[in-house]
Amino acid sequence: MTALEHATEVVDPVPGTGAPHLPEQPDSGPEFVQLLTPEGERVEHPDYAIDVTDEELRSLYRDLALVRRWDVEATALQRQGELGIWASLLGQEAAQVGAGRALAPDDMAFPTYREHGVAWTRGVDPLHVMSLFRGNDMGGWDPVATGVNLYTVVIGAQTLHATGYAMGLQRDGADAAALAFLGDGATSQGEVNEALIWAASLSAPVVFFCQNNQYAISVPIERQSRVPLYQRASGFGFPGVRVDGNDVLAVLAVTRAALARAREGSGPTFIEAFTYRMGAHTTSDDPTRYRMASELEEWKLRDPIARLKAHLARAGIADAAFFDAVDAEGDELAVRIRTGTLEMTDPAGTEIFDHVYAEQTPDLERQRAEFVAYHASFEGEK
Amino acid sequence: MTALEHATEVVDPVPGTGAPHLPEQPDSGPEFVQLLTPEGERVEHPDYAIDVTDEELRSLYRDLALVRRWDVEATALQRQGELGIWASLLGQEAAQVGAGRALAPDDMAFPTYREHGVAWTRGVDPLHVMSLFRGNDMGGWDPVATGVNLYTVVIGAQTLHATGYAMGLQRDGADAAALAFLGDGATSQGEVNEALIWAASLSAPVVFFCQNNQYAISVPIERQSRVPLYQRASGFGFPGVRVDGNDVLAVLAVTRAALARAREGSGPTFIEAFTYRMGAHTTSDDPTRYRMASELEEWKLRDPIARLKAHLARAGIADAAFFDAVDAEGDELAVRIRTGTLEMTDPAGTEIFDHVYAEQTPDLERQRAEFVAYHASFEGEK
Amino acid sequence: MTTLTLGKALNMGLRKAMEDDPKVVLMGEDIGKLGGVFRITDGLQKDFGEDRVVDTPLAEAGILGTAVGLAMRGYRPVCEIQFDGFVFPAYNQIVTQVAKIHARSRGRLPMPIVIRIPFGGGIGAVEHHSESPEAYFAHTAGLKVVAVATPADAYFGIQQAIASPDPIVFLEPKRRYWEKADVDTDATPDPLFRSRVLRAGDDLTLLAYGPMVKTALQAATAAEDEGRSIEVVDLRTLSPLDLDAVYESVRRTGRCVVVHEAPTTLGLGAEIAARVTETCFHSLEAPVLRVGGYDTPYPPSKLEEDYLPDLDRVLDAVDRSMGF
Amino acid sequence: MTTLTLGKALNMGLRKAMEDDPKVVLMGEDIGKLGGVFRITDGLQKDFGEDRVVDTPLAEAGILGTAVGLAMRGYRPVCEIQFDGFVFPAYNQIVTQVAKIHARSRGRLPMPIVIRIPFGGGIGAVEHHSESPEAYFAHTAGLKVVAVATPADAYFGIQQAIASPDPIVFLEPKRRYWEKADVDTDATPDPLFRSRVLRAGDDLTLLAYGPMVKTALQAATAAEDEGRSIEVVDLRTLSPLDLDAVYESVRRTGRCVVVHEAPTTLGLGAEIAARVTETCFHSLEAPVLRVGGYDTPYPPSKLEEDYLPDLDRVLDAVDRSMGF
Ligand SMILES: Cc1ncc(C[n+]2csc(CCOP(=O)(O)OP(=O)(O)O)c2C)c(N)n1
Ligand SMILES: Cc1ncc(C[n+]2csc(CCOP(=O)(O)OP(=O)(O)O)c2C)c(N)n1
Ligand SMILES: [Mg+2]
Ligand SMILES: [Mg+2]
């Protein structure tokens, strides 16, 4: 037997069989970090301890519940024609809130287009996210002030930005790190792999946070990788870890440790948050075409919010009044989001020209002037 | 201690220290496949046995010696202004001949710009390689007839071609595999990593043969990877193996096994052939700017040809008459290459237009006609 | 004669091409079970299997790079790029490999690869989903570039492109996917690399392609009300350009306007203006005018109506041309 | 006043920029100990350290993508692409990110990134080492594109580009790296985004940039012998174009020829022809003519003399223009 026969164990060794997609669902073992079971029971992990106060636990619950409420409202607004599209985070609240809450003030997050939960934990105004999906702008928040980069739609491109930002932190001697978000599908992009290579080569203080939500639109994870994604990292020379992405405590603990490691100068970490996209890819998508309803049902049993709620209730950390208050706050938030969205004024046409360059060009100045004159020529007609 | 602290051991943990480059030089252990020591002694490897006849051994020696002679002649021709540039294979003969000789007739090789040794083993006429470096064409051989794709200069691009070709073999039910060559520097290209991903995902019959010659022009391997390159593969879900690239027997054995595995339908393998670029990157390069002479001296002790010669002589497989005959054959080859190169006729100007498309366009037909008419207008003047 | 949407016509054309030639392989993201985000490949994986309709990993360079290898092995890959703005990760493979391998190999390695790209704006989408990258490809020697505007051209054009021995960037006007027209699937189609006069006229020659063809026709109709007779040409092929009919037309009309969504600077209009001027210099009564997108990134969707050439902007250019 | 080669002028300009602003970081393949394959960064890593002159992994997307992150952090990355033909792996980052982030962030994230590209042919190299990709960038809104032709412009231009708040593709005519001229390093340079009349003339306006400027000047001298007075303009900035002086010139001469190495179709000449014709329509006595590379891949080096515009082809175009 040659060394080549010691092939790594793969998820689905038969290519192209078209077998029904059954994401493997690890729920224990040291390779899978979990601190809160789907039933809401606290468990320990040999490598990850976490000290959280009751106050913190309630506040984590509040974040999870509010971002879900936001998501529901946004989906409704899209259905009513008030948004062009919406990318739902349903099911991924724990991964996003856990990762977002792990960030220190000086850290910088580099989201994809789905990290509303991260944006929320950093204080980004939800309306600044809504304006993007409404088509008013490409994200209304200030990336520098909030520590959240604007959403990046081209899959994976932001992982290199995060790595370069981390190189900047390094040069500044800053006690901070960059947190790059990416999806399971994104791991197949060349640029993402280059980001891993650069981060390793330059020992950059960046953490790659991959939400493996099992799908890239319709394509199941098995098409991107036959082995668990977190294993990718070791071949590049840095640690990878798989965490229960529906367990906000585990995500918080693992991400905190990785960010601390990065800030200390020990280089990058790759985190695979094992989770599930409970909704459609976006409001334009129809998941019934490519996945079975039963799969969703199974994952509902692992709901990230239900499990924290069960824990809080069972451990007496929160009572019905608390949950009612959070619900009420959610409804207020929803109203604010709805009203704010409906009240948004459309951008001025001249916006097209005004931010292309820091130093405006004569060409664009002329095109802008022509645009203004052209539109003025219709004024009388209205 | 968290799991993150179990970081993989890295080659050079201190970034940017600018320490003198000392490539690590493994020469034993199960992670490094070697069948012939630098001193020319046959050793066994637990996973790789090889049965070679004396005849085969002599013929391997002949290949090594002849490609080196070719390389010397080409370098000289470049110095004399007869080639635009030459990319020397000096020091990498065993890696290339070993890999090339492992190929079965129906297999297809996808070289970079340096695999003259592979081309040689497949019967490509050296003059068809010389014409490229002379600037007559972009490779004069027939890739289909020889089973050697044309050289690809854009780093790494050919690894995807090889993977796609392997997908074709799969669809054809062919008992064949693709062999993709790449350098250590190339492993940093996104496209190369995509090739690994595709090969794994589609279980394509392709073998990636990486000649780690320690440098990408001036940049040492540590900049590309902090961990041995062969380890990259396992994170993608298939085996990686490191072989002594200066040991033609080990390279032959490992590549044969990997190709057999691919043909059997067991998917890709990544081979790291640990070797050294004993010459300059190309004739345009000046390695004294970035590496120490002592390094080269050390590697000379591992010379791929000397070790096989020592083995053949010591084991009585070849005598002085044999070595003299090979030398003489080399000199004849050199004469043929020199004469053939000098006798090449320059390509006709209309070649610019004639192969852009399979179906010529009216635009180019017109440009071609204008070109011909324009040049005809000077005829009288000469 | 069947009534088909442009999207359905493409779907049927792809099916026909796959039936006709077992070497045709479709590759792309989400083109299998989902049938593509625009459903252009709907049902094809079910009927032709996963080896011929490949849901690829999420990597566009990978799609084009493996297509090169498949082509070397005798296959005819048809690659779907999900949206115009996502073709750029594949740009290196397209420009340095797909476009060059025929020349590099002096014809020994044909590259019959079709790159399908839904292009253009007007669908209310987010960034990168509404772009018009055709000039990047038309400037690249070794590629051919076509843009279809009607269901019939879609149905036949995709088959002709697949049958062609050269690499073709096949541009589909995504906002017209749902528009219907009669298609005679038994007709003999026009050649792929030929422009087509859609409407005769004497006062001005109006050129468009892809999504702007409909706009150009509407403009011609509107201009008729003002007593102006506009000749409308659907360019159809962007590389090579087929301008003989255009030259003939401009020699009669003396005026020419080109419309496209892509940014005006170095858009197709620039090349056409240069060629028409060079060829018809003495016939021109006005410079060739261009109506294109502004030289800015494609704006957020609330601004796309302001950005995109429309009926009024075309008519405005017609007025300006007539005013010379 | 010092005599400098163009390459040395760039080296000195880079050094000056690094001294003036500690945020300037050079990134690229082999730019450290080796000083770059053309030695443009020679000695800089030794003097400024590995944090400011970064020998990167071999990955162009990585170079540009991390440059974006560094720029977000307040740095001014200067990225060297080793040869023109190797910019394409970075194309996605350049076109979808570098060019768009200022607009995406409505000005909150400036991208002061310089992309240095040695471009053009004539050096007897193998495939991908002699290309002229400028039109791809000039068609991309959000980028600025300049091409230098002389040691003085190289010395000042690289500093001006680095100081600019916008992303700039900085094209260096590689075959002129070894050509010398006097440079007054204390002079006040012309603005970066301005074309320059190099030679006055009355009969025809000849435009060039980068490596073709020298050829254009030689053509003007040769034409003088035949009694023709040619005005030569070095465009210097390809995006934005600065054509006011050109319009003024063409209004006088009535004739215009544009020269570049890039394939003619959709090369810069197309845009310039369209604009000049639109702006100077009534002054033109001949169509704007273009002398460019053929619409083919750059050929093997034995054929590059046939491929590249040279003195004779420029004079031929001058003759044709005068013949109208
Ligand atoms: C380069 C590129 N190609 C294609 C797309 C279209 N696209 C948008 S989301 C998506 C799937 C992404 O999957 P994944 O990375 O798993 O993230 P998820 O959407 O599941 O969060 C695709 C293909 C894109 N945005 N960018
Ligand atoms: C995409 C691309 N970028 C840059 C180059 C320029 N270049 C040619 S060879 C080389 C180094 C390659 O190193 P490696 O992969 O280790 O192969 P080796 O030359 O050592 O055999 C570089 C940077 C190129 N050919 N292609
Ligand atoms: Mg996903
Ligand atoms: Mg190397």
Side-chain angles (χ1 to χ4, degrees):
Chain A
M1 174 162 127
T2 75
L4 299 185
E5 288 163 29
H6 308 290
T8 325
E9 213 182 312
V10 296
V11 177
D12 161 20
V14 190
T17 52
H21 170 59
L22 289 172
E24 135 214 49
Q25 296 169 358
D27 47 16
S28 62
E31 299 245 307
F32 183 66
V33 182
Q34 190 181 70
L35 299 179
L36 202 57
T37 69
E39 294 72 32
E41 207 181 314
R42 275 286 269 121
V43 289
E44 298 301 320
H45 186 279
D47 294 329
Y48 295 93
I50 190 163
D51 252 341
V52 274
T53 64
D54 290 355
E55 184 51 40
E56 273 182 283
L57 283 171
R58 283 189 297 265
S59 129
L60 284 167
Y61 176 83
R62 177 178 167 273
D63 278 354
L64 296 176
L66 294 185
V67 298
R68 179 167 292 185
R69 188 64 188 84
W70 170 11
D71 189 71
V72 167
E73 199 61 25
T75 302
L77 281 163
Q78 197 282 336
R79 295 263 172 263
Q80 292 152 21
E82 298 296 339
L83 300 181
I85 197 172
W86 178 248
S88 166
L89 57 59
L90 192 67
Q92 299 177 222
E93 296 88 352
Q96 297 188 8
V97 167
R101 293 282 293 258
L103 289 160
D106 288 347
D107 295 340
M108 181 84 189
F110 289 80
T112 71
Y113 39 81
R114 203 188 288 288
E115 273 71 61
H116 323 313
V118 177
W120 171 264
T121 63
R122 303 286 276 175
V124 169
D125 185 338
L127 288 172
H128 284 157
V129 176
M130 299 299 279
S131 63
L132 185 167
F133 289 96
R134 191 171 168 84
N136 280 35
D137 54 37
M138 295 160 187
W141 66 96
D142 183 337
V144 179
T146 58
V148 180
N149 189 32
L150 292 179
Y151 283 2
T152 299
V153 174
V154 174
I155 296 293
Q158 75 284 354
T159 57
L160 281 169
H161 307 167
T163 304
Y165 190 91
M167 288 167 62
L169 292 172
Q170 222 169 17
R171 279 163 180 70
D172 295 339
D175 183 23
L179 184 58
F181 290 88
L182 66 153
D184 46 295
T187 60
S188 291
Q189 281 287 356
E191 291 190 359
V192 169
N193 291 275
E194 290 188 11
L196 305 185
I197 288 163
W198 283 64
S201 174
L202 298 153
S203 217
V206 54
V207 173
F208 299 97
F209 190 92
C210 175
Q211 288 168 79
N212 175 359
N213 65 4
Q214 313 302 329
Y215 288 93
I217 309 188
S218 72
V219 180
I221 174 64
E222 289 78 0
R223 177 50 78 200
Q224 321 290 344
S225 181
R226 298 296 181 87
V227 291
L229 286 175
Y230 76 94
Q231 293 180 9
R232 176 82 54 94
S234 76
F236 291 97
F238 59 92
V241 55
R242 178 181 267 189
V243 62
D244 185 339
N246 286 11
D247 171 354
V248 71
L249 291 187
V251 172
L252 182 61
V254 167
T255 314
R256 262 191 195 154
L259 288 168
R261 187 172 175 276
R263 288 189 214 102
E264 272 162 22
S266 305
T269 302
F270 185 95
I271 299 172
E272 177 192 3
F274 201 82
T275 181
Y276 192 75
R277 195 194 76 208
M278 292 173 74
H281 171 70
T282 65
T283 44
S284 306
D285 181 39
D286 173 11
T288 63
R289 285 189 154 242
Y290 55 82
R291 68 186 193 188
M292 288 181 292
S294 58
E295 200 181 280
L296 177 58
E297 290 313 311
E298 257 184 77
W299 275 92
K300 279 189 181 160
L301 304 175
R302 296 175 165 75
D303 186 284
I305 305 191
R307 83 170 71 175
L308 184 57
K309 186 170 190 177
H311 176 63
L312 293 183
R314 197 178 309 165
I317 301 167
D319 57 11
F322 169 78
F323 294 119
D324 289 348
V326 171
D327 285 350
E329 199 182 346
D331 290 339
E332 273 167 48
L333 174 68
V335 169
R336 187 169 94 74
I337 287 171
R338 167 168 295 268
T339 322
T341 302
L342 298 180
E343 283 172 356
M344 284 176 190
T345 46
D346 286 354
T350 47
E351 281 278 310
I352 292 174
F353 307 93
D354 289 344
H355 310 290
V356 181
Y357 297 102
E359 272 175 12
Q360 183 63 305
T361 67
D363 276 358
L364 268 194
E365 202 49 79
R366 179 182 47 74
Q367 291 186 14
R368 187 186 196 279
E370 284 169 8
F371 176 90
V372 169
Y374 173 74
H375 283 274
S377 74
F378 291 99
E379 288 297 280
E381 300 177 22
K382 281 165 197 171
Chain B
M1 172 160 130
T2 75
L4 299 187
E5 288 163 29
H6 306 290
T8 323
E9 213 182 312
V10 296
V11 177
D12 162 20
V14 190
T17 50
H21 169 59
L22 289 172
E24 134 214 49
Q25 295 170 358
D27 47 17
S28 63
E31 299 245 308
F32 182 67
V33 182
Q34 189 181 70
L35 299 179
L36 201 59
T37 68
E39 295 72 31
E41 206 182 314
R42 274 286 269 122
V43 289
E44 298 302 319
H45 186 279
D47 294 330
Y48 294 93
I50 190 164
D51 252 343
V52 274
T53 63
D54 289 354
E55 183 52 40
E56 272 181 283
L57 284 170
R58 284 189 296 264
S59 127
L60 285 167
Y61 176 82
R62 178 178 167 273
D63 278 354
L64 296 176
L66 294 185
V67 298
R68 180 168 291 185
R69 188 65 188 82
W70 170 10
D71 189 71
V72 168
E73 198 61 27
T75 302
L77 281 163
Q78 197 282 335
R79 295 265 172 262
Q80 292 152 20
E82 297 296 339
L83 300 181
I85 197 171
W86 179 248
S88 165
L89 57 58
L90 191 68
Q92 299 178 222
E93 296 88 351
Q96 297 187 9
V97 167
R101 292 281 294 257
L103 289 161
D106 288 347
D107 295 340
M108 181 84 190
F110 289 80
T112 70
Y113 40 81
R114 202 187 289 287
E115 273 70 62
H116 324 311
V118 177
W120 170 265
T121 64
R122 303 286 278 174
V124 170
D125 185 337
L127 289 172
H128 284 157
V129 176
M130 299 299 280
S131 63
L132 186 167
F133 289 96
R134 189 169 169 85
N136 280 35
D137 53 38
M138 294 160 187
W141 66 96
D142 182 337
V144 179
T146 57
V148 180
N149 190 33
L150 293 179
Y151 283 1
T152 300
V153 174
V154 174
I155 296 293
Q158 76 283 356
T159 58
L160 281 168
H161 307 166
T163 305
Y165 189 91
M167 289 167 63
L169 291 172
Q170 223 170 17
R171 278 162 181 71
D172 295 340
D175 183 23
L179 184 58
F181 289 87
L182 66 154
D184 47 296
T187 61
S188 291
Q189 281 287 356
E191 291 190 359
V192 170
N193 291 274
E194 290 188 12
L196 305 185
I197 288 163
W198 282 65
S201 174
L202 297 153
S203 217
V206 55
V207 173
F208 298 97
F209 190 93
C210 175
Q211 287 168 79
N212 175 359
N213 64 4
Q214 314 302 329
Y215 288 92
I217 309 187
S218 72
V219 181
I221 174 64
E222 290 77 2
R223 176 50 78 199
Q224 320 290 343
S225 182
R226 298 296 180 88
V227 292
L229 285 175
Y230 76 94
Q231 293 179 8
R232 176 82 53 95
S234 76
F236 291 98
F238 59 92
V241 55
R242 178 181 266 190
V243 62
D244 183 340
N246 286 11
D247 170 355
V248 71
L249 291 186
V251 172
L252 182 62
V254 166
T255 313
R256 262 191 195 153
L259 287 168
R261 188 174 175 275
R263 289 189 213 101
E264 272 162 22
S266 304
T269 301
F270 185 97
I271 298 171
E272 177 191 3
F274 201 82
T275 181
Y276 192 75
R277 198 193 75 209
M278 291 174 75
H281 171 70
T282 65
T283 44
S284 306
D285 181 38
D286 173 11
T288 62
R289 286 190 154 243
Y290 54 82
R291 68 184 193 190
M292 289 180 293
S294 58
E295 201 181 279
L296 176 59
E297 291 312 312
E298 256 184 78
W299 275 93
K300 278 189 183 161
L301 304 175
R302 296 175 166 73
D303 186 283
I305 304 190
R307 82 170 72 173
L308 184 57
K309 187 171 189 177
H311 176 64
L312 293 183
R314 197 178 310 165
I317 300 168
D319 55 13
F322 170 78
F323 294 119
D324 289 347
V326 171
D327 284 350
E329 198 182 347
D331 290 338
E332 273 167 49
L333 175 67
V335 170
R336 188 170 94 74
I337 287 171
R338 166 169 296 267
T339 322
T341 301
L342 298 179
E343 283 173 357
M344 284 176 191
T345 46
D346 285 355
T350 47
E351 281 278 309
I352 293 175
F353 307 94
D354 289 344
H355 310 290
V356 181
Y357 297 101
E359 272 175 13
Q360 183 63 305
T361 66
D363 275 359
L364 268 194
E365 201 50 77
R366 180 181 47 73
Q367 292 186 15
R368 186 185 196 280
E370 285 168 8
F371 176 89
V372 170
Y374 172 74
H375 283 274
S377 73
F378 291 99
E379 288 296 281
E381 300 177 22
K382 283 167 199 171
Chain C
M1 203 65 97
T2 357
T3 306
L4 297 176
T5 62
L6 197 152
K8 180 64 188 172
L10 286 167
N11 177 268
M12 284 176 56
L14 286 169
R15 175 178 293 275
K16 184 77 174 23
M18 295 187 76
E19 283 164 0
D20 289 352
D21 184 349
K23 292 292 192 180
V24 174
V25 173
L26 313 193
M27 309 169 73
E29 295 156 6
D30 304 289
I31 67 168
K33 279 192 190 156
L34 187 63
V37 294
F38 290 109
R39 308 291 185 267
I40 305 301
T41 55
D42 196 23
L44 298 179
Q45 189 181 64
K46 198 169 124 277
D47 294 344
F48 294 95
E50 295 192 11
D51 272 356
R52 296 195 59 200
V53 181
V54 186
D55 258 334
T56 66
L58 207 177
E60 289 79 7
I63 296 173
L64 268 296
T66 56
V68 166
L70 278 162
M72 285 179 64
R73 189 72 205 163
Y75 286 86
R76 302 185 95 81
V78 182
C79 304
E80 174 173 306
I81 298 294
Q82 201 162 78
F83 283 89
D84 31 63
F86 306 138
V87 71
F88 300 109
Y91 207 69
N92 181 52
Q93 283 289 335
I94 296 174
V95 169
T96 73
Q97 306 300 317
V98 174
K100 290 196 163 79
I101 286 176
H102 192 273
R104 184 182 301 154
S105 68
R106 301 171 79 222
R108 280 172 171 143
L109 298 174
M111 286 285 125
I113 296 174
V114 176
I115 308 173
R116 292 185 40 238
I117 309 182
F119 86 124
I123 62 160
V126 295
E127 210 185 346
H128 312 290
H129 290 70
S130 306
E131 300 178 4
S132 299
E134 60 270 20
Y136 295 124
F137 302 111
H139 182 54
T140 304
L143 300 178
K144 294 179 176 177
V145 184
V146 302
V148 292
T150 65
D153 276 356
Y155 175 74
F156 291 113
I158 190 65
Q159 296 180 60
Q160 291 168 314
I162 291 170
S164 160
D166 289 307
I168 298 184
V169 175
F170 190 89
L171 298 164
E172 305 172 0
K174 69 170 88 76
R175 66 161 132 160
R176 309 292 183 209
Y177 273 149
W178 301 273
E179 301 197 356
K180 285 184 186 163
D182 284 343
V183 180
D184 176 0
T185 55
D186 297 324
T188 304
D190 284 346
L192 189 59
F193 301 108
R194 212 43 79 67
S195 63
R196 186 190 292 138
V197 177
L198 295 183
R199 183 191 160 113
D202 302 318
D203 296 337
L204 183 145
T205 310
L206 182 60
L207 313 183
Y209 55 88
M212 284 290 111
V213 170
K214 183 176 174 180
T215 308
L217 286 169
Q218 289 168 337
T221 306
E224 197 170 34
D225 297 344
E226 301 174 30
R228 281 176 182 159
S229 163
I230 311 267
E231 182 142 317
V232 177
V233 182
D234 177 358
L235 285 171
R236 299 177 80 245
T237 171
L238 310 186
S239 176
L241 281 164
D242 174 41
L243 298 182
D244 288 342
V246 173
Y247 299 150
E248 189 279 319
S249 174
V250 173
R251 287 199 186 99
R252 277 189 291 106
T253 63
R255 296 172 201 278
C256 181
V257 170
V258 195
V259 193
H260 54 64
E261 295 188 8
T264 304
T265 293
L266 282 164
L268 262 290
E271 181 62 28
I272 292 166
R275 291 198 194 187
V276 167
T277 308
E278 189 170 340
T279 312
C280 310
F281 186 67
H282 293 298
S283 312
L284 281 175
E285 288 168 51
V288 178
L289 297 184
R290 298 176 284 166
V291 185
Y294 298 106
D295 290 319
T296 72
Y298 198 90
S301 61
K302 288 273 182 194
L303 294 174
E304 67 182 338
E305 277 188 36
D306 284 333
Y307 180 82
L308 291 169
D310 61 4
L311 189 70
D312 286 330
R313 280 180 61 203
V314 175
L315 290 176
D316 178 62
V318 169
D319 283 350
R320 282 189 288 125
S321 176
M322 300 303 294
F324 258 82
Chain D
M1 199 68 93
T2 358
T3 305
L4 297 176
T5 63
L6 197 151
K8 180 66 188 171
L10 286 166
N11 176 269
M12 285 175 57
L14 286 168
R15 176 179 292 276
K16 185 78 173 24
M18 296 187 76
E19 283 165 0
D20 288 352
D21 183 349
K23 292 291 192 181
V24 174
V25 173
L26 313 194
M27 310 169 72
E29 296 157 6
D30 305 289
I31 66 168
K33 279 193 192 156
L34 187 63
V37 293
F38 291 108
R39 309 290 184 267
I40 305 302
T41 56
D42 195 25
L44 298 178
Q45 188 182 65
K46 197 171 124 277
D47 294 344
F48 294 95
E50 295 193 13
D51 273 355
R52 295 194 60 199
V53 181
V54 186
D55 256 335
T56 66
L58 207 177
E60 288 80 7
I63 297 174
L64 268 296
T66 55
V68 166
L70 278 162
M72 286 179 62
R73 189 72 204 162
Y75 286 86
R76 302 185 95 82
V78 182
C79 304
E80 173 172 307
I81 298 295
Q82 201 162 75
F83 283 90
D84 32 62
F86 306 137
V87 70
F88 300 109
Y91 208 69
N92 181 52
Q93 283 290 336
I94 297 174
V95 169
T96 73
Q97 306 300 317
V98 173
K100 290 197 163 80
I101 285 175
H102 192 272
R104 184 183 300 153
S105 68
R106 301 171 79 222
R108 279 173 171 139
L109 298 174
M111 286 286 123
I113 296 173
V114 175
I115 308 173
R116 291 183 41 236
I117 309 182
F119 85 124
I123 62 159
V126 295
E127 213 186 344
H128 312 290
H129 290 70
S130 306
E131 300 179 3
S132 299
E134 60 270 20
Y136 294 124
F137 301 112
H139 182 56
T140 303
L143 299 178
K144 294 179 177 177
V145 183
V146 302
V148 292
T150 64
D153 275 356
Y155 176 74
F156 291 113
I158 190 64
Q159 296 180 61
Q160 291 167 314
I162 292 170
S164 160
D166 289 306
I168 297 184
V169 175
F170 189 90
L171 298 164
E172 305 172 0
K174 70 169 88 74
R175 65 162 135 159
R176 309 290 183 210
Y177 273 149
W178 300 273
E179 301 198 356
K180 285 184 186 163
D182 283 344
V183 179
D184 175 0
T185 55
D186 296 324
T188 305
D190 283 347
L192 188 59
F193 301 109
R194 213 44 78 68
S195 63
R196 185 190 294 138
V197 178
L198 295 184
R199 181 191 162 111
D202 302 318
D203 296 337
L204 183 144
T205 311
L206 182 59
L207 314 182
Y209 55 87
M212 285 289 110
V213 170
K214 182 174 175 183
T215 309
L217 286 170
Q218 289 169 336
T221 307
E224 199 169 32
D225 298 342
E226 302 173 31
R228 282 179 182 155
S229 161
I230 311 267
E231 181 141 318
V232 177
V233 182
D234 178 358
L235 284 171
R236 298 177 80 245
T237 169
L238 310 186
S239 176
L241 280 164
D242 174 41
L243 298 182
D244 288 343
V246 173
Y247 299 149
E248 190 278 319
S249 172
V250 172
R251 285 199 188 98
R252 278 190 289 106
T253 64
R255 297 172 202 279
C256 182
V257 170
V258 194
V259 194
H260 53 64
E261 295 189 9
T264 305
T265 293
L266 281 164
L268 262 288
E271 180 64 27
I272 292 165
R275 291 197 193 187
V276 167
T277 308
E278 190 169 340
T279 311
C280 309
F281 186 67
H282 293 299
S283 313
L284 280 175
E285 288 169 52
V288 178
L289 296 185
R290 299 177 282 167
V291 185
Y294 297 105
D295 290 319
T296 73
Y298 197 90
S301 62
K302 288 273 180 193
L303 295 173
E304 67 183 339
E305 277 188 36
D306 284 331
Y307 180 83
L308 292 170
D310 60 5
L311 188 71
D312 285 329
R313 280 179 61 203
V314 175
L315 290 175
D316 179 61
V318 169
D319 282 349
R320 282 188 290 123
S321 176
M322 300 304 294
F324 258 82

